[in-house]
Amino acid sequence: AQRVTQPEKLLSVFKGAPVELKCNYSYSGSPELFWYVQYSRQRLQLLLRHISRESIKGFTADLNKGETSFHLKKPFAQEEDSAMYYCALSDRGSTLGRLYFGRGTQLTVWP
Amino acid sequence: DAGITQSPRHKVTETGTPVTLRCHQTENHRYMYWYRQDPGHGLRLIHYSYGVKDTDKGEVSDGYSVSRSKTEDFLLTLESATSSQTSVYFCAISGSQGTEQYFGPGTRLTVT
């Protein structure tokens, strides 16, 4: 069963517009969630983890357990935000604690 | 970037040949992972390791094997490469169970 769903494969916004990348998850325990970003042909980089509640590059994400969501938001998108974004869930309940990744959302920010 | 390197970075090979990809880390992390990245599929786990000589299968392990004889190295072998294994392969490491993972730069493999 898919544990992480990113419903938007592609998302386009104009520079300066707000952006929200959606992530929904299914998990019976207490989840630990992450957002990763991948700029063109580069390695994945950790962007956010929900437990630290930090803001990186202007992005924030709040865990909503009632809606089982962990949407990534930024109030004013920049062209350099264009990238692939992956939401990931940590399976701490298993013996080996792997991460489950969504299929990703390709964000394009137009000038 | 965490001290993770992958080699080779690019490889073109023919169907039926064996291929070995190497992941090397300098972080002394216990957990290591191999993923493949394909359009529309995101990242899929091939195999992972939780210590030297301790490995297990992920969700797309058919046609792949792994070995870890040292903490710092995790090898992925395609026993007989097929065109469906054309992909970008990423290695990742983590220091603790279930925590964030740090990724290598990737290997772009083309099987002709």
Side-chain angles (χ1 to χ4, degrees), chain B residues 83-100:
Chain B
S83 58
S84 65
Q85 293 176 312
T86 292
S87 186
V88 180
Y89 291 85
F90 285 99
C91 173
I93 65 174
S94 68
S96 303
Q97 173 191 335
T99 60
E100 64 269 17

Side-chain angles (χ1 to χ4, degrees), chain A residues 4 18-19 27 33-34 70 72 74 80 82 86-87 90 94 105 107 110:
Chain A
V4 180
V19 63
Y27 189 65
L33 287 143
F34 307 88
F70 187 55
L72 184 68
K74 186 169 183 177
E80 56 265 31
S82 294
Y86 291 98
C87 182
S90 170
S94 76
T105 298
L107 173 66
W110 299 105

Side-chain angles (χ1 to χ4, degrees), chain B residues 36 46-47 57-65 79 85:
Chain B
R36 60 177 291 174
I46 306 172
H47 280 280
K57 296 178 180 179
E59 57 194 303
V60 289
S61 60
D62 287 349
Y64 301 95
S65 62
E79 293 138 11
Q85 293 176 312

Side-chain angles (χ1 to χ4, degrees), chain B residues 5-108:
Chain B
T5 56
Q6 292 183 232
S7 59
R9 294 293 313 280
H10 302 271
K11 186 167 182 69
V12 180
T13 192
E14 292 185 349
T15 298
T17 61
V19 177
T20 296
L21 308 182
R22 180 182 183 234
C23 176
H24 179 78
Q25 60 143 330
T26 57
E27 306 295 320
N28 201 34
H29 280 354
R30 178 181 176 189
Y31 298 90
M32 298 185 75
Y33 310 83
W34 276 108
Y35 294 90
R36 60 177 291 174
Q37 183 183 43
D38 304 287
H41 291 278
L43 286 159
R44 292 181 291 175
L45 183 66
I46 306 172
H47 280 280
Y48 55 91
S49 170
Y50 44 97
V52 173
K53 298 193 191 310
D54 291 323
T55 64
D56 208 344
K57 296 178 180 179
E59 57 194 303
V60 289
S61 60
D62 287 349
Y64 301 95
S65 62
V66 289
S67 66
R68 192 168 177 200
S69 58
K70 297 186 288 185
T71 299
E72 57 266 35
D73 289 325
F74 192 32
L75 303 180
L76 176 71
T77 297
L78 288 65
E79 293 138 11
S80 177
T82 67
S83 58
S84 65
Q85 293 176 312
T86 292
S87 186
V88 180
Y89 291 85
F90 285 99
C91 173
I93 65 174
S94 68
S96 303
Q97 173 191 335
T99 60
E100 64 269 17
Q101 295 177 13
Y102 298 94
F103 284 79
T107 293
R108 189 170 294 272

